[in-house]
Amino acid sequence: MRGFRGDVANRISVMPDKLLYPIDLEDKAMEIIKSSYSPDNASNAYNPQGNGRWNGTAWEYLNDTNNWFMIDTKNQKQWAVWFDRVPLEFGKAEEFDSFVAKWRAYCRYSYLWMNWRWVIGAEVS
């Protein structure tokens, strides 16, 4: 992911800091993300991933244990854009004698990705 290139083949600054994984792999992900020493052997080798380099999030919609994603959250905030096309509007109708009130809310929104280079993943079949 850190080798991504832009539209004209120049290197771009991508620093992944979040791991998105399925719920079934949460225990294994915690071993990778939070262990001070290598969880795979008894030699107490230093785990470079366990020093706070990654944040992790389990996502229930990833239902295959082979799928995972790495995300650069700073670039995600820059390149994934949310639009409030019509801001949230409220309205109310009220009857005095029966104490009945009706409320409504209306809004329109949309989102888009201006660039895809903030995420990389493996969707294994």
Side-chain angles (χ1 to χ4, degrees):
M1 183 173 186
R2 293 183 65 188
F4 278 171
R5 296 190 179 262
D7 295 335
V8 291
N10 294 331
R11 287 199 178 266
I12 60 174
S13 177
V14 177
M15 299 295 286
D17 59 353
K18 186 174 196 176
L19 181 63
L20 189 66
Y21 48 84
I23 291 175
D24 295 337
L25 292 180
E26 190 164 15
D27 292 340
K28 188 67 175 171
M30 289 299 121
E31 282 182 11
I32 294 168
I33 294 172
K34 298 193 178 202
S35 295
S36 298
Y37 299 104
S38 179
D40 291 339
N41 57 36
S43 68
N44 285 341
Y46 175 69
N47 179 12
Q49 314 306 332
N51 63 1
R53 180 185 293 183
W54 312 106
N55 293 322
T57 302
W59 195 30
E60 64 270 10
Y61 294 110
L62 287 175
N63 52 13
D64 187 350
T65 57
N66 295 318
N67 297 348
W68 55 269
F69 293 92
M70 294 200 65
I71 299 170
D72 180 353
T73 56
K74 291 179 185 172
N75 283 336
Q76 177 188 13
K77 290 177 184 175
Q78 179 182 358
W79 291 333
V81 181
W82 181 272
F83 291 104
D84 283 328
R85 301 174 100 189
V86 175
L88 186 59
E89 301 171 351
F90 291 103
K92 178 174 98 168
E94 186 175 327
E95 277 190 43
F96 181 77
D97 293 332
S98 64
F99 295 110
V100 174
K102 293 181 182 179
W103 293 83
R104 69 167 174 85
Y106 175 77
C107 67
R108 290 183 63 200
Y109 52 86
S110 184
Y111 63 92
L112 66 95
W113 294 277
M114 295 171 54
N115 196 337
W116 59 268
R117 291 176 182 93
W118 54 270
V119 64
I120 190 169
E123 188 176 354
V124 183
S125 59

